[in-house]
Amino acid sequence: QLQLVESGGGLVQPGGSMRLSCAASQFPLDTSRIGWFRQAPGKEREGISCMSGSGAFTNYADSVKGRFTMSRDNAKNTVYLQMNSLKPEDTGIYYCATEQVVPRNTATMSVCSRASYEYDDWGQGTQVTVSS
């Protein structure tokens, strides 16, 4: 069983919106750093956003800043990526990834990274296609 299960991908028109979900089944997301990554055809995997364990700090790549927003539902142990004003260049496979942190460690609970090597667990990915 995958520890992270993603859903919500599909086909959307330019300018449209889509929300991706990533549900964790075996560990709590509220004591995890969470990252969203994507890989476009022929390109390297890109870290597009992250959220600290506390949820108070988020970081976004310039390519998505102002258009994408992360959120977390602790009751459902699910993280979301709301994507608005989508562009064709947003097309790719989107991955959710997590890294557990020590919850009483203020420093580690307050930061996150968009570097892929910082993450231990990965979802299977979901395809997002932005096209007319």
Side-chain angles (χ1 to χ4, degrees), residues 7-89:
S7 61
L11 177 65
V12 64
Q13 295 186 48
S17 297
M18 179 175 286
R19 189 178 74 163
L20 305 182
S21 300
C22 179
S25 61
Q26 299 181 26
F27 54 87
L29 291 178
D30 61 2
T31 52
S32 301
R33 296 189 186 114
I34 310 164
W36 282 99
F37 300 81
R38 70 185 181 189
Q39 189 160 18
K43 295 187 178 296
E44 295 291 319
R45 184 166 57 192
E46 176 189 17
I48 57 173
S49 69
C50 69
M51 176 181 287
S52 66
S54 68
F57 176 83
T58 55
N59 182 263
Y60 299 90
D62 288 342
S63 57
V64 306
K65 190 176 298 181
R67 300 187 297 119
F68 290 13
T69 304
M70 291 186 67
S71 62
R72 191 175 70 197
D73 186 331
N74 292 333
K76 296 181 179 180
N77 210 35
T78 298
V79 65
Y80 304 95
L81 182 67
Q82 179 66 46
M83 305 185 295
N84 299 325
S85 302
L86 284 162
K87 307 173 181 180
E89 53 262 44

